[in-house]
Amino acid sequence: MKSLNKLALSVEDLSFEIGGKKRIDSVSFEVDKGEIVLLCGGSGSGKSTLANIIIGYYPEYGGKQDVSHIRISGEDVQYQSVVERSESVRTIFQNARLSFSMKTLREELVFILENSRFNPDEMNGMVEDKAREFNLDYLLDRSFDDLSGGELQRAAFICADLVDVPLYIMDEPFANVDEETMQDYIRYMKELVRKGKSVVIIDHHVDRWNWVDRWLLLDSNQQLHDLSLMASETTKRELLTKEGIVVDASAVPKRDLESKEILLELDKVTLYHEKTIRKSLFKKETQTTTLIEEAYFNLNKGSLTALVGPSGIGKTSLFKAILNVSPYKGEIRLQGKNIKTLKPENLYSKIGLVFQDPSLQFVKTNVLDEMVLSLTAWEKLEDDQAETKAREILDQHHFENKASQSPWVMSQGQQRRLAVLCMTVGDQNLLLVDEPTYGQDARNAKKIMDKLNELCRQGVTCLFTSHDRDLVDAYADQVYEIKEKKVCQVR
Amino acid sequence: MIDSINPTAKTIGTLIGTLILGLTFQWQVNSVVALLCLLFLVTSKRTNPTTLLKIMVPITLISLSYFFTGWIFSSEQALFALANNSVPSPSGKDFVNGLKLGTRIFSFAMLGISYSLTTDPHELIASFIQQARMPMKMGYAILTAINLTSLIQRERDNSKLALQVRNIPVKPFDTKPMFTMMIRMVRWSERLSLAMESKGFSEDRVMQMQMTIKRRDILFAVGLPMLIAILGFAVF
Amino acid sequence: MNRNKLTLRDYLLMALISVVFGVLYLMAVYAGTALTTILTPFGLGVLGYEPFFGIWFMAAIITTYLIRKPAVGIITEVIAALIEVMLGNMFGVMVLVSAFIQGVGVEIPFALTKYEKYSYKIAMLSALSAAVLSFLWTGFRSNYLAMDWRIVATIFVIRLLSSLFFTGYLSKRICDKLDEAGILNHNLETGEIIE
Ligand SMILES: Nc1ncnc2c1ncn2[C@@H]1O[C@H](COP(=O)(O)OP(=O)(O)OP(=O)(O)O)[C@@H](O)[C@H]1O
Ligand SMILES: Nc1ncnc2c1ncn2[C@@H]1O[C@H](COP(=O)(O)OP(=O)(O)OP(=O)(O)O)[C@@H](O)[C@H]1O
Ligand SMILES: [Mg+2]
Ligand SMILES: [Mg+2]
């Protein structure tokens, strides 16, 4: 029996239901002071829900909770609101941009200090000190709109660290972050732990967390397992595989070499963003930020190509340039034709794009209608004919019992698979897929990549971005890297 | 000088001033008020000349259109026109009627922009929270939304593009991208409120920016409406 | 009636939706100005903005539908106006008053049904009352008494039609689809009561 004051977090017999279903079933666990714990589980297993319960979002904002106690640092917080609990727990969320409400990091930090009722005269000094501690003074006055994903994550970290609390929860802090930022971050975390704080991390990439104290696993039956209590490595591995958190890497289907026909050519493409800034009364300045300089590359028909590079380097912007909606110089040719000479409709009928955030593409209120809409957008079909065909496709891809469900409430993994599916019923030649495995568990990631792989075998050309090196190595025929504004082939 | 007026005082002064102006019907008063506003605008450090010019174009246009409507379709003219089909002449009652209507709209607009172009959003919200008892939640919700404007704009373009790449054409007044945007805003509001509250945001907090009411603020809030009233009911 | 206080989330939703509509308002202003330019030589410039008038009530009716608490329509209109002012709207402080009046207009029918009915009928009534109230207010502002009654009547008819289309029909349609998408809060809450 541990003494009370050694515990940072203690949850006893927690059950929770929302949307008419039990999401968490009699879960108990504890986190010690100075301990760092990984919470893993398949997509939609309820990890974020559990985090939201600990910080008090649920049941204040919905759902039904049943618990004997939730204690943070020995204090019972069960009946406290989010605001009250903010004095004992701080969080970093999946989407960093939407966790800032002010315009710049300086304002955001002041906002946090104001919330904690610090003396207004001391705020500026505190902010400066903190920024210096993290070597981020250069970020203080830049607008959040101009920061890259990695910089936003670092900013989110400072915000969490500004006020002294015993417990931190980080929900997929690395979902969109490159290797370098990640290492920085892990250093910050170790520093926190050294100061006696406790950290709960939620992540799909379990491999990078071998160094943490314990792994907790939330399984598909809403039960929590402490993997450190399991006797053998094999039972552990079996459980992780069963829950789809790790998969056998060997099972990637190999393909024959693709044809030599060139589908897409980038000829001396320079990518930039323009922004007009009002300096003062009379001065107006147009700032041009160059993202990529003079890129050349070709994609062969039927190839599966990866585009990698740190966050904010311009991968998504390059995709948009290929769709002619982001400014560029030079020439991009599709099947030998300059895309600037193509009518938008023609261009869009040849190129498909799956967004970083898949839910952007949905417009209907159930999965079947969404599929029907996709089908009828490409060919004239009778209503019932389209419906039959849509059902067929959905059945093939294990959506059969989801046909009448709203795409908006599906888990992210399912949303992304549906988005890919909707994108592929047309007869596009080129498919651009932005971060296909963002926030996915290994099993879902594999399903999506297998689908892309299969499409390429049928002659579609695919270009995808990813921060996940293993995945890129396993699937891509070619890998291009954006580095210091240049695009170079690394494989 | 108008820049340093407390935003709440400025709001009250301009608001009451505008309402009193609404009760006067002389084109002379309208013109004087419009000139006064122009003075405010020119002396302000916050107005950008190009913005000012850009905004003056539609204002002038609208005022002109009211002028013509008031001239050609004045209520007296209408009665008159029923009797004999005369062409409106540039002198006389109808012309003055048009002038009244046109300058009225013009002076309203000038009061409007001399307020909106010279007020800083952050100060306005801080002042409303501190002096006008606007709930903290409301004030910060507005600031947050303004800070996210360019992101929302980008999101909007994306949701249109997302439809187009699915080979679905987007017409003007199409509800599809609108619908997607609404859903995203519901989601964003959930995430943002969680993020803010878990950073300790509540009504009970301090603010670094302190807005105060000084004597000249009261002078403005009382003085501007008084001036307009005197001009309207005593002078002209 | 849901008497719970407005939460931060409610306020944020109102503000975000106002920003989304801000862009639409701007488009409507451009379109209106263009139409005004065309009509001015005929002395009919005052009609320029009327076909788009219903767009100004949309944010209020949509948030009322989404949040379902008292005063939401009015507060949304005021927030939208404040945001417009800060982004440099030309009628400045006056839009605050206009907004308040429009918000009241949108809200009356919902208030009369104790914020419990959200049918097409109520939406249309809301469009009607918003059109009438805003007509009275602009009537004062632009001194409609100085204009030919036929012009004034035309203004009213066009505004009413615009309001019925944008506020009564289009907004309600979007809201119904949002309902179907299953993301709205009140769905969750009623779901819990049934269990
Ligand atoms: N407000 C809600 N209404 C209905 N269902 C919900 C709601 N919130 C979450 N769910 C459901 O609860 C389940 C768990 O969701 P949660 O976001 O906690 O998963 P997760 O483990 O964090 O997944 P991921 O790894 O994809 O982030 C999902 O199936 C989701 O659809
Ligand atoms: N419309 C725009 N206007 C101005 N700047 C932009 C615009 N879109 C993106 N940027 C900026 O361009 C840079 C590259 O953005 P982009 O989204 O292409 O990066 P990315 O490589 O896809 O990053 P991530 O891996 O985080 O998705 C970023 O710094 C971003 O802030
Ligand atoms: Mg999650
Ligand atoms: Mg990207």
Side-chain angles (χ1 to χ4, degrees), chain A residues 24 27 166 184-185 260 270 276 291 318 364 368 382 387-388:
Chain A
I24 288 169
V27 160
D184 270 358
Y185 223 121
K260 285 278 164 282
T270 298
T276 328
L291 295 172
L318 182 63
K364 292 289 178 185
L368 185 65
E382 298 290 321
E387 197 182 312
T388 324

Side-chain angles (χ1 to χ4, degrees), chain B residues 27-38:
Chain B
W27 63 266
Q28 295 94 330
V29 183
N30 296 338
S31 311
V32 172
V33 171
L35 271 176
L36 183 69
C37 291
L38 199 62

Side-chain angles (χ1 to χ4, degrees), chain A residues 300-449:
Chain A
N300 287 352
K301 185 165 182 284
S303 64
L304 181 59
T305 308
L307 183 66
V308 299
S311 166
I313 197 93
K315 302 182 293 294
T316 306
S317 306
L318 182 63
F319 279 6
K320 288 191 164 175
I322 296 175
L323 279 165
N324 201 11
V325 288
S326 184
Y328 68 92
K329 294 194 201 84
E331 216 173 284
I332 299 179
R333 285 187 292 270
L334 184 71
Q335 294 172 319
K337 281 194 212 89
N338 186 341
I339 59 161
K340 287 211 164 141
T341 63
L342 288 173
K343 279 211 198 92
E345 307 93 84
N346 287 342
L347 187 62
Y348 297 146
S349 68
K350 291 203 171 82
I351 306 179
L353 171 64
V354 180
F355 283 85
Q356 221 156 341
D357 180 353
S359 65
L360 260 174
Q361 359 207 133
F362 302 136
V363 281
K364 292 289 178 185
T365 51
N366 70 56
V367 172
L368 185 65
D369 285 353
E370 204 62 61
M371 204 65 222
V372 169
L373 180 69
S374 279
L375 287 167
T376 48
W378 288 97
E379 49 182 326
K380 275 246 163 307
L381 282 172
E382 298 290 321
D383 280 354
D384 50 343
Q385 215 179 336
E387 197 182 312
T388 324
K389 200 163 166 199
R391 278 192 194 281
E392 230 167 71
I393 296 174
L394 291 177
D395 284 354
Q396 270 169 25
H397 294 91
H398 314 289
F399 276 110
E400 57 274 10
N401 48 16
K402 298 254 172 354
S404 59
Q405 202 182 344
S406 155
W408 309 94
V409 297
M410 292 195 311
S411 89
Q412 243 215 45
Q414 292 159 337
Q415 281 189 356
R416 201 171 286 273
R417 279 199 299 130
L418 183 64
V420 173
L421 214 54
C422 285
M423 203 64 330
T424 53
V425 296
D427 38 18
Q428 294 105 330
N429 311 91
L430 175 63
L431 212 55
L432 307 172
V433 191
D434 209 350
E435 305 280 352
T437 57
Y438 165 89
Q440 307 290 311
D441 60 33
R443 181 160 45 199
N444 270 316
K446 189 166 156 38
K447 265 189 202 157
I448 291 169
M449 291 313 295

Side-chain angles (χ1 to χ4, degrees), chain A residues 18-19 23 41-50 58 94 171-172 202 204 218 409-413 439, chain C residues 188:
Chain A
I18 192 165
R23 305 289 171 186
S43 287
S45 59
K47 304 179 296 296
S48 300
T49 307
L50 182 56
Y58 296 133
Q94 275 179 351
D171 196 347
E172 297 191 43
I202 299 176
H204 285 296
L218 196 58
V409 297
M410 292 195 311
S411 89
Q412 243 215 45
Chain C
L188 288 182

Side-chain angles (χ1 to χ4, degrees), chain A residues 101-153:
Chain A
S101 49
M102 295 291 117
K103 213 174 181 58
T104 63
L105 181 55
R106 187 188 298 276
E107 288 177 17
E108 187 75 23
L109 291 171
V110 168
F111 169 78
I112 295 170
L113 293 174
E114 287 174 342
N115 291 338
S116 304
R117 308 187 59 84
F118 278 91
N119 179 355
D121 299 330
E122 289 167 14
M123 286 179 185
N124 285 335
M126 291 174 77
V127 166
E128 304 264 335
D129 287 347
K130 201 59 172 183
R132 222 167 297 130
E133 187 187 327
F134 283 85
N135 284 325
L136 287 180
D137 344 28
Y138 72 101
L139 282 186
L140 275 180
D141 293 304
R142 279 172 55 192
S143 158
F144 283 131
D145 288 337
D146 300 336
L147 302 193
S148 75
E151 288 167 334
L152 286 173
Q153 284 291 357

Side-chain angles (χ1 to χ4, degrees), chain C residues 49-122:
Chain C
Y49 290 93
E50 298 304 324
F52 309 99
F53 222 94
I55 294 178
W56 268 268
F57 315 141
M58 284 179 83
I61 194 168
I62 288 179
T63 51
T64 304
Y65 190 103
L66 296 185
I67 297 170
R68 310 201 166 187
K69 290 178 188 168
V72 168
I74 298 172
I75 296 175
T76 306
E77 283 287 338
V78 171
I79 290 180
L82 273 174
I83 289 176
E84 270 190 81
V85 167
M86 286 184 236
L87 301 177
N89 178 288
M90 53 180 167
F91 285 103
V93 77
M94 284 299 258
V95 293
L96 287 179
V97 182
S98 314
F100 182 79
I101 289 167
Q102 291 169 6
V104 171
V106 168
E107 197 141 344
I108 288 173
F110 291 102
L112 291 179
T113 57
K114 295 210 169 66
Y115 301 92
E116 269 155 15
K117 279 213 187 86
Y118 293 87
S119 59
Y120 265 110
K121 200 172 113 196
I122 303 295

Side-chain angles (χ1 to χ4, degrees), chain A residues 99 114-115 145 357 361 374, chain B residues 150 166 184 199 205 208:
Chain A
S99 61
E114 287 174 342
N115 291 338
D145 288 337
D357 180 353
Q361 359 207 133
S374 279
Chain B
S150 72
R166 283 178 73 186
R184 308 193 79 66
K199 282 176 179 161
R205 65 198 291 281
Q208 194 187 34

